[in-house]
Amino acid sequence: AQSVTQLDSQVPVFEEAPVELRCNYSSSVSVYLFWYVQYPNQGLQLLLKYLSGSTLVKGINGFEAEFNKSQTSFHLRKPSVHISDTAGYFCAVSMIYNQGGKLIFGQGTELSVKP
Amino acid sequence: DAGVTQSPTHLIKTRGQQVTLRCSPKSGHDTVSWYQQALGQGPQFIFQYYEEEERQRGNFPDRFSGHQFPNYSSELNVNALLLGDSALYLCASSLLQGTYEQYFGPGTRLTVT
């Protein structure tokens, strides 16, 4: 079975500071990896994805993530956050063999950016 | 280009009742997935529809059922509602032979009293 663990349920940070949101996964098969953002009272928006190739992936809004196969991690980073980055962030995996199939999500991390 | 749309936005039902939620996929997409997101939790996969058939199913009871229409839109039905069914229900659309990205709608907030 596959699972995703987001190690921090809440991350408070000051505006313009760097941030890292941690994600670890467990899977016996190869997976694709995703980060989604959820603003209050909205659905999910894709920030970035790792399918193959370079392990450093750049996404929207200045976010990037690095896939580490040996540590089964896919941590999300941003060098300087803005108030508008306050939102819920969800890491997810899908199994490569199950093309286009279900996403398995972590519990989410609430990022709170303070002025 | 309209993205994924869902209706209604909010819904209040009583225990034991039945509810139907609706989803229209992004233009060009042929696959619809449904997720349940309880407050403070990550989304949980309910099922996925492709070519009007249930392609995959998560660990949800038979009270949860769905349908996909020839125009790719979809419905989620929940019978015999329980208080624990209160959640945000998210619909996501994708192209099965595409880039594995799922596009999410704004969700339907269901409250069971």
Side-chain angles (χ1 to χ4, degrees):
Chain A
Q2 291 71 38
S3 67
V4 177
T5 302
Q6 293 184 240
L7 298 165
D8 305 296
S9 59
Q10 294 182 326
V11 173
V13 64
F14 287 106
E15 193 174 18
E16 297 184 4
V19 71
E20 178 180 82
L21 306 183
R22 297 180 292 169
C23 172
N24 286 88
Y25 69 93
S26 173
S27 177
S28 56
V29 299
S30 297
V31 296
Y32 296 128
L33 296 135
F34 306 83
W35 274 99
Y36 283 85
V37 60
Q38 185 175 36
Y39 298 103
N41 301 313
Q42 294 188 27
L44 300 169
Q45 180 184 6
L46 182 68
L47 275 177
L48 48 80
K49 62 188 176 190
Y50 174 78
L51 304 181
S52 65
S54 172
T55 57
L56 183 62
V57 180
K58 294 189 183 297
I60 62 171
N61 301 340
F63 284 93
E64 64 180 30
E66 186 156 20
F67 170 54
N68 188 318
K69 188 174 183 179
S70 62
Q71 297 187 6
T72 60
S73 67
F74 191 52
H75 300 334
L76 181 70
R77 302 185 183 99
K78 187 170 182 178
S80 175
V81 294
H82 303 289
I83 298 289
S84 60
D85 292 324
T86 295
Y89 291 80
F90 295 90
C91 181
V93 303
S94 69
M95 290 158 279
I96 289 177
Y97 76 82
N98 184 16
Q99 183 178 340
K102 68 177 181 181
L103 292 169
I104 300 166
F105 286 88
Q107 296 284 79
T109 297
E110 284 292 325
L111 176 64
S112 176
V113 182
K114 304 177 186 304
Chain B
D1 174 28
V4 179
T5 60
Q6 292 185 243
S7 63
T9 305
H10 296 90
L11 204 51
I12 300 175
K13 290 287 189 177
T14 303
R15 276 178 298 175
Q17 286 188 317
Q18 178 265 344
V19 67
T20 297
L21 310 182
R22 295 175 176 82
C23 171
S24 292
K26 182 178 169 64
S27 177
H29 285 181
D30 56 13
T31 304
V32 173
S33 303
W34 287 92
Y35 294 82
Q36 179 195 66
Q37 186 179 20
L39 200 61
Q41 304 293 317
Q44 298 288 318
F45 176 77
I46 303 175
F47 42 54
Q48 183 182 77
Y49 277 84
Y50 171 69
E51 291 189 338
E52 302 181 51
E53 296 286 334
E54 184 181 284
R55 178 175 180 262
Q56 267 192 294
R57 189 177 182 91
N59 189 26
F60 279 79
D62 292 344
R63 297 187 298 109
F64 290 77
S65 63
H67 188 77
Q68 187 180 33
F69 298 94
N71 67 353
Y72 306 115
S73 67
S74 176
E75 288 182 349
L76 163 66
N77 300 292
V78 187
N79 294 322
L81 285 167
L82 304 174
L83 294 179
D85 294 332
S86 294
L88 180 67
Y89 288 85
L90 295 164
C91 170
S93 75
S94 56
L95 193 58
L96 194 67
Q97 301 296 329
T99 60
Y100 313 104
E101 179 175 338
Q102 295 189 15
Y103 291 79
F104 283 80
T108 294
R109 173 72 63 188
L110 172 64
T111 302
V112 182
T113 62

